Amino acid sequence: MDKLLVHGGKKLQGTVHISGSKNASLPILAATLLTGETCIIRRVPDVSDTNYMIQILTALGAEVERSSGTVRITAGTISHDAPYEIVRKMRASICIMGPLVARLHKASVSLPGGCVIGDRPVDLHLKGLEALGATIDMEGGNMHIEAKDGLHGQECDLRGKHGPTVLGTDNMMMAAVLAKGKTVIESAACEPEVVDLANFLNKMGAKITGAGTRRIEIEGVEKLHGVDYTVIPDRIEAGTFMVAAAMAGCPEKGVTLNRVCQEDLKPSTAKLIEAGHSVEFNAKGTSCTVKPGQNPKGVNIVTAPFPGFPTDMQAQFTSLLAVTPGISVVEDTIFPQRFMHCAEMSRMGANIKVDNGTAVIQGGKKLSGAPVMASDLRASAALVLSGLCSEGTTEINRLYHIDRGYENIDDKLVMLGADIERVRE
Ligand code: EPU
């Protein structure tokens, strides 16, 4: 297992290029199963989660070639049976269910377990597929989904107790594109990654309207075709570098992020400005420069579905607020258990009390490097950020978490002036 040594105290400056979105790439890669024609997907980040998805597509029978961010997939003859050994490695594997049932009228996929950020049930995914006429049997930890007479368009409300579901909306949308008749998804997720998937499907010949709103309408079509598509920039990677700039940026020059989407970054931008930092976008909204403020102050954050503040940025902002003077309160309403990073940050000197999905941060503490354990993807990023402005060396173990979703994060930070070593074991 690799580990990262972050020698703190260096000031960051320069330009970083943001990669394509991991969370947009995963369902888009799965959606290539909807056609036997060749799809070319560009700017797919080279991270382990996209590699797992490619392994699944290959195991199902698709021909896949990957070269520097471009993935070429032809899902000619495919199987409905996803191998447990690969599926179990990544929860997002479940977004192959929709395309498989749509194209083959059946799918066998193992039931994902819980994970460190919460229980992560799949009831809403199944509700969507059942509404379209599929039957579901559970056996030996696997879900067998079948629609003997094909899928039929239907209206379905996908709201759960924590709000809408991103991959659940994706699954129902992908199932509905080849269903007979019209499907309406109420309480749909509005995240930019859902919109990107809808744009991809429409380019393949689907008829989807309303993506990005709470009501998505899908008119089923007979067939989809191959396309050439470029995924959107990763708003969470961008947000993470924005926080890095606020925490450890050179005050005069700051850090410039290229290939971003201003609209998708609104919640993180607003909180950074509220906390006293400077964020300036170019006229096109495709690049921004972040400089640390002279008088930063604590802020309160409540995570919410898009356009609210993303749960995937909660850990990184908690790291920022730990070194920001004042008291900040951070509540995660989507994944109330997603606070494992706080105990690790406390070992570095942060003062954070977590109770019932809420962290109360007594900010402005000087952090000092310590050996810490990464618990999930965004928690690992938060520990790297804490390490950047700590005295001494932070040793981050279980680095595979960060490699699931950040493309070369250590190299990108080193290019900005950070002192980071990857120790390969
Ligand atoms: N939920 C249910 N039932 C379901 C599905 C979800 O109750 O059937 C609940 C969840 O437990 C959670 C809430 O609904 O409380 C929202 O979960 P959602 O389904 O939206 O999460 P997801 O689609 O599985 C995606 C991202 C996550 C991100 C969440 C929330 C991908 C591959 N994953 O997961 O990203 O945190 O949306 O925005 O797109 C990450 O990148 O680090 C990450 C975890």
Side-chain angles (χ1 to χ4, degrees):
M1 272 191 254
D2 290 2
K3 61 184 174 192
L4 218 56
L5 301 180
V6 183
H7 309 292
K10 294 277 188 256
K11 289 288 172 219
L12 308 182
Q13 65 177 67
T15 300
V16 60
H17 297 292
I18 298 305
S19 301
S21 162
K22 167 191 79 97
N23 286 350
S25 298
L26 293 173
I28 287 175
L29 289 169
T32 64
L33 293 170
L34 287 162
T35 178
E37 294 182 18
T38 300
C39 294
I40 298 169
I41 324 285
R42 300 181 192 272
R43 300 211 45 222
V44 175
D46 188 2
V47 294
S48 39
D49 274 10
T50 60
N51 284 320
Y52 291 142
M53 185 55 87
I54 287 171
Q55 282 176 34
I56 293 170
L57 300 181
T58 308
L60 288 171
E63 282 169 29
V64 186
E65 284 166 41
R66 175 172 204 158
S67 72
S68 67
T70 299
V71 185
R72 196 185 170 89
I73 304 162
T74 312
T77 305
I78 51 166
S79 152
H80 71 282
D81 200 353
Y84 168 72
E85 273 317 303
I86 309 172
V87 168
R88 73 178 175 84
K89 292 184 182 164
M90 180 179 67
R91 192 184 182 278
S93 312
I94 51 169
C95 63
I96 60 172
M97 285 193 305
L100 287 178
V101 185
R103 181 153 163 214
L104 305 175
H105 299 171
K106 57 181 178 176
S108 294
V109 181
S110 57
L111 189 64
C115 78
V116 72
I117 68 172
D119 294 341
R120 311 198 72 180
V122 294
D123 55 314
L124 300 171
H125 295 249
L126 301 182
K127 181 181 175 188
L129 297 177
E130 278 177 326
L132 298 175
T135 55
I136 290 143
D137 281 323
M138 301 286 185
E139 190 206 341
N142 293 318
M143 299 180 281
H144 300 289
I145 307 148
E146 194 159 7
K148 282 205 176 92
D149 306 323
L151 296 170
H152 296 270
Q154 192 55 261
E155 197 154 318
C156 184
D157 191 312
L158 280 188
R159 172 169 290 273
K161 74 173 180 193
H162 293 289
T165 162
V166 174
L167 291 178
T169 302
D170 289 346
N171 250 331
M172 188 164 181
M173 199 159 65
M174 291 188 279
V177 285
L178 293 177
K180 284 203 176 65
K182 179 174 166 178
T183 296
V184 178
I185 308 177
E186 294 284 5
S187 306
C190 299
E191 270 64 10
E193 295 77 15
V194 174
V195 178
D196 206 33
L197 174 65
N199 289 340
F200 174 74
L201 293 168
N202 281 341
K203 207 170 175 194
M204 292 175 90
K207 290 191 177 153
I208 303 171
T209 53
T213 73
R214 291 275 171 250
R215 181 183 163 95
I216 299 179
E217 296 190 5
I218 304 136
E219 199 66 62
V221 295
E222 292 254 304
K223 210 170 170 277
L224 296 175
H225 53 77
V227 285
D228 187 329
Y229 193 82
T230 303
V231 298
I232 53 169
D234 196 309
R235 66 190 167 107
I236 307 302
E237 188 202 13
T240 304
F241 276 95
M242 289 167 86
V243 174
M247 290 176 79
C250 157
E252 295 80 36
K253 297 197 172 136
V255 172
T256 298
L257 283 71
N258 275 348
R259 298 199 206 131
V260 298
C261 173
Q262 179 172 9
E263 195 60 26
D264 298 350
L265 290 170
K266 269 186 173 169
S268 296
T269 303
K271 280 295 162 194
L272 282 176
I273 291 173
E274 189 187 334
H277 305 288
S278 145
V279 183
E280 281 182 16
F281 281 88
N282 65 353
K284 284 188 183 160
T286 53
S287 166
C288 69
T289 299
V290 181
K291 293 179 187 165
Q294 299 205 324
N295 297 304
K297 59 176 177 27
V299 293
N300 296 334
I301 290 176
V302 181
T303 68
F306 194 83
F309 187 90
T311 172
D312 291 344
M313 284 303 302
Q314 179 264 108
Q316 301 88 317
F317 268 81
T318 300
S319 172
L320 167 70
L321 295 171
V323 294
T324 304
I327 293 178
S328 300
V329 179
V330 177
E331 184 185 355
D332 199 325
T333 62
I334 298 173
F335 293 117
Q337 297 169 43
R338 197 178 201 179
F339 284 102
M340 299 280 278
H341 44 283
C342 294
E344 299 301 302
M345 285 176 199
S346 299
R347 300 187 58 251
M348 300 172 73
N351 185 341
I352 308 175
K353 301 270 177 297
V354 180
D355 187 25
N356 211 8
T358 301
V360 178
I361 306 158
Q362 188 98 48
K365 302 290 170 207
K366 280 246 172 300
L367 303 184
S368 54
V372 288
M373 209 60 98
S375 55
D376 78 85
L377 172 57
R378 308 304 170 188
S380 342
L383 295 175
V384 173
L385 297 176
S386 294
L388 289 175
C389 60
S390 292
E391 213 165 81
T393 298
T394 302
E395 179 184 309
I396 301 166
N397 293 286
R398 297 199 189 149
L399 202 56
Y400 57 88
H401 286 295
I402 211 162
D403 292 332
R404 295 187 69 152
Y406 286 92
E407 192 173 50
N408 306 327
I409 189 169
D410 38 342
D411 294 343
K412 287 184 179 184
L413 285 167
V414 167
M415 294 275 283
L416 294 174
D419 185 356
I420 300 182
E421 289 171 73
R422 181 179 284 253
V423 181
R424 299 192 188 272
E425 287 191 349

